Amino acid sequence: MQRLRVRYAKRGRLRFTSHRDISRAVERAVRRAGVPVAYSAGFSPHPKISYAGAAPTGVASEAEYLEIGVTTPCDFDQVRQALDASLPPGLDVLDVVEAGPGGLADRLEVSDWEVRLPGADRELAEVAAEKFLAAGTVEVERLTKKGPRRFDAREAVLELTVSDGTDRTDRTAAQVDGEPCVILRMVVRHMTPAVRPDDVLTGLRLVADFAPPVPPEVTRLAQGPLDVSTGALADPLDLDRDKTRGGEAGPAGEHVAG
């Protein structure tokens, strides 16, 4: 059985789609695209499709990953085009490669997030970011299925920068036309429990009383292994990619406007 690893984006209104609904949409798309998906054995067979590092509901992403087991070898570009055409607009297939050895989830060590804060004050955001980074620990509380849980949001944050969106010409998955806004970029290590952008925002409120006036627009730009020598994110599919298909892979943070 061949295994295909797929990178896809979750854009626009589709960021509000639950993981269960995305799974159903992918299964329908696989059937429509004619992908020879493998099925599990047993009384109730199900397609061998697994997901790694899925973004929370309400968050857009340019770097979601899934893996499909197929019964016969496939042409990667044809699978990418057929799947993309079969999925609803907003779920866009960006890359397909054959899976190599090792687990994909093990490579997803960090995420690069963009958090847009319409109407926020940049100076206040910069002060809050400085205080957050200077803190040894920033304990936040989140309500989980097992009740409230407290954890350190500071340890997972490797980078946190503040910029002004007035000079931006590109568009990210969650962006809409409107007034300029403060943009936070954060590189966050995957830990247990997972530290999310909203946890970092909670930390900014705790250390500096900084809170955006409206709900933030969050986009995951990339996720993958961290190059400890450069501090940059690498493409998690690089180890699988066949270099004869068309050259080197782009950086993990590279994304397509949607």
Side-chain angles (χ1 to χ4, degrees):
M1 183 181 68
Q2 184 185 44
R3 292 179 298 130
L4 304 179
R5 287 174 175 163
V6 179
R7 176 190 172 201
Y8 67 98
K10 184 174 63 166
R11 297 169 169 157
R13 290 183 297 177
L14 268 294
R15 68 185 184 273
F16 298 111
T17 305
S18 70
H19 179 65
R20 178 175 295 183
D21 286 338
I22 288 178
S23 300
R24 291 171 178 167
V26 169
E27 290 183 13
R28 289 194 296 266
V30 165
R31 292 195 296 268
R32 291 171 183 167
V35 178
V37 63
Y39 282 80
S40 62
F43 180 76
S44 180
H46 59 274
K48 291 192 173 183
I49 304 174
S50 59
Y51 298 80
T57 301
V59 172
S61 177
E62 294 290 330
E64 300 296 283
Y65 293 93
L66 61 85
E67 190 169 285
I68 305 173
V70 293
T71 56
T72 58
C74 297
D75 180 276
F76 310 135
D77 288 331
Q78 289 182 2
V79 170
R80 181 187 60 78
Q81 294 175 20
L83 273 180
D84 189 53
S86 301
L87 285 167
L91 289 180
D92 304 316
V93 178
L94 307 179
D95 200 3
V96 177
V97 301
E98 182 175 9
L104 177 59
D106 294 335
R107 302 178 192 172
L108 304 181
E109 299 173 345
V110 295
S111 285
D112 182 4
W113 299 95
E114 178 184 272
V115 181
R116 298 177 58 84
L117 306 175
D121 185 284
R122 178 173 178 173
E123 292 185 3
L124 295 180
E126 290 175 340
V127 170
E130 290 175 1
K131 289 184 177 181
F132 182 91
L133 293 174
T137 60
V138 180
E139 283 200 350
V140 301
E141 184 175 284
R142 185 203 304 155
L143 183 63
T144 69
K145 294 180 179 179
K146 297 182 179 181
R149 182 169 184 178
R150 293 189 65 84
F151 54 92
D152 179 18
R154 172 64 187 91
E155 182 182 2
V157 179
L158 304 179
E159 295 181 21
L160 178 60
T161 60
V162 180
S163 63
D164 194 327
T166 55
D167 58 350
R168 294 290 295 272
T169 58
D170 59 326
R171 293 172 60 84
T172 60
Q175 183 177 347
V176 295
D177 292 327
E179 63 180 6
C181 64
V182 169
I183 295 178
L184 302 181
R185 284 288 295 271
M186 56 185 75
V187 177
V188 181
R189 189 185 300 277
H190 295 181
M191 302 179 66
T192 302
V195 174
R196 303 172 179 174
D198 58 311
D199 298 320
V200 178
L201 290 176
T202 299
L204 295 178
R205 177 174 55 81
L206 292 175
V207 300
D209 198 27
F210 172 78
V214 298
E217 301 167 2
V218 182
T219 301
R220 174 152 53 195
L221 301 180
Q223 61 173 326
L226 182 67
D227 188 328
V228 293
S229 62
T230 65
L233 269 72
D235 186 337
L237 302 184
D238 269 352
L239 294 176
D240 307 310
R241 200 178 309 279
D242 180 357
K243 301 302 183 182
T244 65
R245 288 177 54 211
E248 300 292 328
E254 183 177 290
H255 61 281
V256 181

